[in-house]
Amino acid sequence: MTAFLVIFESGLSLGAMYAAASIALSLVWGSIGMLNMALGAMLAIGGYASFALVEYLPVPWWLGFLASLGVGFIAGAVLYYVTVKWMYRVPTFDTSIVIATVGVAIVIENLLVKIFTAYAKKQPFLVDDGILMGSVTMRYQSLINLGIALVIMLILSWYLNRTRAGTAILAVAQDRDAAQLMGVPVERIFLLVMVIAGVIAAASGVLLTAVIPMSPYVGHEPLLKAFIICVIAGLGNLPAAFVASFVLGWFESAVSYGAGARYGFPAMLVLVIIVLLWKPYGVFGRRRVTRV
Amino acid sequence: MATTRLEVDGLTAGYHGQPVLRDLSLHVNDGGAVGIIGPNGHGKTTLLRAISSLIPIMGGDIRLDGASIKGVRADRVVQQGVVHIPQGDLIFTELTVLKNLTMGAYLAPKSEIGSRLKGVFEIFPRLEERQGQMASTLSGGERRMLALGRGLMSAGRIMLIDEPSLGLAPIVVDQIYDVIRDLKAEGRTILIVEENISRIVDFADYVYLVDHGEFVWEGEPDELMRHEKILETYLGG
């Protein structure tokens, strides 16, 4: 029973950490067809923005969190203007944008090193206590992370399904030409998607660095894991990405508990290979047809 | 004298720098119905895509009510009143029928959407019955109705309709053409691309025959039916 509770708590905590990042990655992929390799750097921007405001100004943690969302908004817009706007019409967009966003990530991370140094920092508002479940403590911070990830998912689902701009995002994701023929300004929709993803990435960065030490490279592992989660869920499928974050969190925790922490990540990679052999478009993914 | 709604003047356009259309000129009068016919793969769809700015223009000009729309972004062309109902429908299969229709009125004020929906449902009662269904569950004929209904939601100045009979059973084609004929009777301006010549001669006021990206004949439909050589050479008799 204790083993189950340990795995459950640890998996929930990991899932909550990765869920927001996975949603941001999946949203951009699904709408723009873009693998955003700068997502990790955008997580770091969110974490550092909150850290700087709470530590140096100082402002209350919640204000730091909200301000970091604003910084994420700007980061998303800047990433759009620096890369997507100039590249989305290029026939090799799929691959070019990966290289371009890797470049942007390198620039951002080096700027963060320059400003904050490469030494690990600690987000100043970790909630240490938790609820005791038998011999295992469910940390409040994990529950907060879970709650915020859930709220992000619900707000995004509402926005996509209940608003005109949200429906336009779904329409562009399904068929860019058809959406344009409805009068949808595709470039503006791409900008909208990038700023939403920027805001979610910033929130994810704050949640993440409330649990693990913060460095300019803190987003590397979450980016990789979010990518694995999205591939398994089916790239572009937001609810599936959310659920898969927790399933994979529990999977990683179970492997780490049973075989040792160093086997958690390799086991996820093996799982990706198995899933891709079984279902090349992910468990809940659909075949994506590109018109040329 | 009828005013010219759409004027294509010496248009050259294509894909990846390779021209598919060469020096095409046509005009569509206000309230008129013009048909483009020709063999498959000779540029009919490309012509409509060029008018809608979905592909760049390499030469010539396109004017709507006298104003050039050359180089104008596709969504702005729609804003100026061009409704394009594309070949293969291009409906949003993962949205409901209702959402597909409301996307057609993306540029319309919210207050007008209800009345436009009512109008579309009067023409296509089947769409009203299926409004909550995902578009992916519709039959081929229903999809074509949805594509037409979505076009009607935008209430534009000219409708570009690409192969409305493609891949449909004759009885469904009859229903679709009944609607298109009604639209013409209402005074809508229509530019229609069609491979099925019998449909066009019944409907269009004027016809252009395209072959290898060039217009090789133009005239009234009756005249076309008397040109046995043209019918045999280009349209298989």
Side-chain angles (χ1 to χ4, degrees), chain B residues 177-195:
Chain B
Y177 265 92
D178 284 346
V179 172
I180 296 173
R181 259 185 226 101
D182 288 345
L183 295 175
K184 185 189 172 192
E186 282 173 18
R188 301 241 191 186
T189 310
I190 298 172
L191 176 62
I192 189 166
V193 156
E194 185 57 272
E195 211 174 313

Side-chain angles (χ1 to χ4, degrees), chain B residues 26-220:
Chain B
L26 68 85
H27 71 277
V28 186
N29 287 335
D30 186 21
V34 169
I36 309 288
I37 55 170
N40 200 13
H42 284 234
K44 301 188 298 293
T45 294
T46 303
L47 171 62
L48 297 195
R49 288 175 66 80
I51 294 170
S52 292
S53 264
L54 286 179
I55 57 169
I57 294 169
M58 298 169 189
D61 198 7
I62 300 168
R63 289 182 286 275
L64 188 66
D65 289 329
S68 176
I69 54 171
K70 181 182 174 180
V72 172
R73 244 174 34 202
D75 57 288
R76 299 241 165 96
V77 171
V78 178
Q79 224 166 23
Q80 292 186 31
V82 174
V83 180
H84 183 161
I85 297 159
Q87 189 186 58
D89 309 332
L90 298 189
I91 56 172
F92 304 113
T93 50
E94 288 166 47
L95 296 181
T96 62
V97 168
L98 183 64
K99 280 197 174 167
N100 266 276
L101 290 172
T102 51
M103 276 307 296
Y106 182 77
L107 297 171
K110 275 187 180 168
S111 56
E112 281 184 24
I113 292 177
S115 60
R116 290 192 193 180
L117 264 178
K118 204 175 154 206
V120 170
F121 287 151
E122 272 169 20
I123 298 169
F124 298 114
R126 189 89 59 88
L127 295 182
E128 186 170 18
E129 290 164 21
R130 307 230 188 282
Q131 58 179 300
Q133 271 181 234
M134 297 300 273
S136 57
T137 63
L138 299 182
S139 68
E142 288 166 343
R143 283 172 181 233
R144 200 62 46 87
M145 288 175 196
L146 178 57
L148 264 173
R150 196 178 59 178
L152 292 173
M153 288 291 290
S154 65
R157 288 190 275 175
I158 179 167
M159 297 184 83
L160 315 179
I161 308 176
D162 196 354
E163 303 239 25
S165 69
L166 189 73
L168 297 182
I171 189 164
V172 183
V173 177
D174 286 344
Q175 290 170 4
I176 297 287
Y177 265 92
D178 284 346
V179 172
I180 296 173
R181 259 185 226 101
D182 288 345
L183 295 175
K184 185 189 172 192
E186 282 173 18
R188 301 241 191 186
T189 310
I190 298 172
L191 176 62
I192 189 166
V193 156
E194 185 57 272
E195 211 174 313
N196 186 341
I197 188 167
S198 61
R199 298 290 175 180
I200 281 286
V201 292
D202 280 354
F203 165 76
D205 308 322
Y206 201 79
V207 175
Y208 292 85
L209 171 60
V210 67
D211 182 62
H212 287 97
E214 291 172 14
F215 286 147
V216 291
W217 185 89
E218 65 179 273
E220 292 183 0

Side-chain angles (χ1 to χ4, degrees), chain A residues 160-162 164 167-168 170-171 174-175 177-189 286 291-292, chain B residues 16 49 52 54 73-76 78 84 86 90 92-95 99 103-110 113 150:
Chain A
L160 291 176
N161 292 302
R162 300 280 170 210
R164 194 183 269 208
T167 309
L170 296 176
Q174 285 180 46
D175 198 310
D177 279 355
Q180 286 189 96
L181 293 179
M182 303 298 104
V184 176
V186 168
E187 288 190 11
R188 208 179 302 161
I189 293 296
R286 289 187 190 169
R291 230 183 302 275
V292 290
Chain B
H16 311 300
R49 288 175 66 80
S52 292
L54 286 179
R73 244 174 34 202
D75 57 288
R76 299 241 165 96
V78 178
H84 183 161
L90 298 189
F92 304 113
T93 50
E94 288 166 47
L95 296 181
K99 280 197 174 167
M103 276 307 296
Y106 182 77
L107 297 171
K110 275 187 180 168
I113 292 177
R150 196 178 59 178

Side-chain angles (χ1 to χ4, degrees), chain A residues 62-111:
Chain A
W62 57 268
L63 196 57
F65 177 73
L66 289 179
S68 75
L69 303 187
V71 173
F73 182 100
I74 295 166
V78 169
L79 186 60
Y80 167 79
Y81 282 111
V82 170
T83 59
V84 182
K85 183 174 171 61
W86 309 107
M87 299 176 74
Y88 82 91
R89 285 196 193 89
V90 176
T92 56
F93 176 72
D94 290 4
T95 44
S96 309
I97 198 69
V98 171
I99 296 162
T101 50
V102 166
V104 171
I106 291 169
V107 171
I108 293 171
E109 286 163 359
N110 280 290
L111 279 173

Side-chain angles (χ1 to χ4, degrees), chain A residues 78-156:
Chain A
V78 169
L79 186 60
Y80 167 79
Y81 282 111
V82 170
T83 59
V84 182
K85 183 174 171 61
W86 309 107
M87 299 176 74
Y88 82 91
R89 285 196 193 89
V90 176
T92 56
F93 176 72
D94 290 4
T95 44
S96 309
I97 198 69
V98 171
I99 296 162
T101 50
V102 166
V104 171
I106 291 169
V107 171
I108 293 171
E109 286 163 359
N110 280 290
L111 279 173
L112 290 174
V113 169
K114 197 92 180 152
I115 299 167
F116 296 100
T117 76
Y119 292 109
K121 303 265 189 296
K122 199 168 172 287
Q123 204 66 258
F125 52 80
L126 175 66
V127 183
D128 280 327
D129 291 342
I131 306 165
L132 200 62
M133 299 188 307
S135 55
V136 178
T137 304
M138 171 69 78
R139 285 168 291 171
Y140 286 135
Q141 189 63 53
S142 297
L143 293 174
I144 291 170
N145 287 4
L146 171 66
I148 292 178
L150 196 60
V151 166
I152 289 171
M153 184 63 213
L154 291 175
I155 291 176
L156 191 61

